[in-house]
Amino acid sequence: MEESSRKYQFGMVEDILRECEAEPTEPDRQTEMDGGILLTSGIHVYVPRYEINVHEGFFCHMEEGRLVPQNMLTVIYDRTDKDYLYDAEENFVDTVHEWLGGQCTRKQLEQEPCEVKGIREEIVYGKGIQTGEVEEILAEMEQLAEVPDDIMESDEDYQIVISGWWVHIPELGLNLHEGIYCNYDREEGGYLPDFAVTVVKEEGQTEEEWIYYEQDGFLITLANYLHGKTDMGHLEQLFCFIRMPDGSQPAEE
């Protein structure tokens, strides 16, 4: 597989990296420094405006032949990703803002475009995508049909069946499921599909718990649930992740 990169805003990228399970193309880097070893991740973030590469890292010492982490760091390298520039025990934004020494505001830095480097060609599962594009991506994922559905509600007259997979939106702490509202047909002796719904759940709710559902797509349902507190443009740009139950994850190609 070839190395891939994807563009993000710098203020979001650290959370996205911690949510996803991307496979690096290179092993972690070990550099002797200050009597210890600086261990930096093979996956890194390139910020074009400032021509720097930003890594997660640990300062370690050797103990009985193995590396023992002491401090978690953010580490900055130059454009070529070879020359060390700076490190701090802070998150990505705070470390780079400190290194820049007032060249921009923290808010400006959060909105700065950047690229994730050092990952193998992406599969969609587990990777940060925007809410505005997720339904189109889901429609192309044939493997979702293999994930068993869950029954959210069932009564003698109706049943609501929801997808076993879901879309997680970290910024809102919400999960979205596709669902089908079914009516009981006495002649057929079973539940028959009536219309599609989107179901909104809080993170951590069980398959039978929910907070809202509506006969519409992801974005409209989400906007109506939030009662206009967040404009549609912002909702479309929120990062989200396609999640599946343990044991149902599609294999990497």
Side-chain angles (χ1 to χ4, degrees):
M1 296 183 188
E2 297 179 353
E3 180 178 296
S4 177
S5 66
R6 191 182 183 104
K7 293 185 178 180
Y8 301 91
Q9 288 186 331
F10 192 57
M12 293 290 296
V13 73
E14 189 168 11
D15 287 340
I16 291 169
L17 286 175
R18 288 178 179 166
E19 283 271 355
C20 76
E21 299 169 359
E23 183 180 355
T25 57
E26 299 291 338
D28 292 344
R29 179 190 307 177
Q30 298 183 25
T31 307
E32 292 187 8
M33 183 179 291
D34 298 331
I37 294 175
L38 181 62
L39 182 69
T40 50
S41 61
I43 298 174
H44 53 102
V45 177
Y46 178 62
V47 187
R49 182 186 297 273
Y50 302 110
E51 296 189 321
I52 56 172
N53 287 282
V54 182
H55 294 249
E56 288 186 340
F58 288 92
F59 187 76
C60 310
H61 68 274
M62 293 294 294
E63 187 175 296
E64 298 180 351
R66 62 187 181 89
L67 286 175
V68 178
Q70 289 180 271
N71 307 99
M72 187 173 183
L73 304 169
T74 294
V75 185
I76 304 174
Y77 282 85
D78 73 340
R79 178 178 58 83
T80 65
D81 201 38
K82 293 179 180 179
D83 294 333
Y84 164 88
L85 299 176
Y86 188 75
D87 70 73
E89 294 181 47
E90 303 286 351
N91 61 34
F92 281 10
V93 171
D94 288 343
T95 298
V96 173
H97 186 249
E98 188 175 295
W99 176 73
L100 287 171
Q103 293 184 42
C104 66
T105 66
R106 194 180 189 283
K107 185 174 182 180
Q108 287 171 332
L109 185 58
E110 288 176 345
Q111 297 173 351
E112 192 66 37
C114 63
E115 298 178 17
V116 176
K117 298 279 193 176
I119 57 175
R120 296 191 183 278
E121 186 177 6
E122 288 187 301
I123 57 171
V124 172
Y125 169 73
K127 307 303 181 288
I129 52 182
Q130 290 183 319
T131 306
E133 63 182 353
V134 69
E135 285 185 281
E136 184 177 340
I137 291 171
L138 289 168
E140 298 175 357
M141 293 180 65
E142 296 180 359
Q143 62 267 51
L144 294 180
E146 301 172 9
V147 181
D149 293 332
D150 295 317
I151 296 175
M152 186 178 80
E153 278 194 1
S154 188
D155 195 89
E156 61 179 18
D157 295 324
Y158 75 95
Q159 188 175 80
I160 301 175
V161 179
I162 62 171
S163 58
W165 53 265
W166 62 94
V167 172
H168 176 55
I169 307 175
E171 186 171 325
L172 301 178
L174 298 175
N175 295 330
L176 304 178
H177 294 252
E178 286 186 351
I180 299 290
Y181 188 100
C182 306
N183 287 311
Y184 188 78
D185 188 300
R186 286 173 173 75
E187 292 184 4
E188 295 290 336
Y191 296 98
L192 298 182
D194 190 357
F195 53 85
V197 296
T198 295
V199 177
V200 182
K201 291 173 171 277
E202 291 182 343
E203 185 178 2
Q205 285 189 316
T206 68
E207 44 212 43
E208 296 181 350
E209 296 177 311
W210 55 275
I211 52 177
Y212 185 77
Y213 71 84
E214 181 178 309
Q215 188 181 348
D216 221 317
F218 280 7
L219 280 175
I220 299 298
T221 300
L222 193 57
N224 289 339
Y225 165 69
L226 294 171
H227 301 293
K229 295 177 183 176
T230 305
D231 66 67
M232 189 66 74
H234 180 65
L235 286 179
E236 290 178 341
Q237 295 174 9
L238 292 177
F239 280 101
C240 61
F241 299 84
I242 299 169
R243 294 294 188 220
M244 302 189 190
D246 293 341
S248 298
Q249 300 172 8
E252 293 189 27
E253 298 178 356

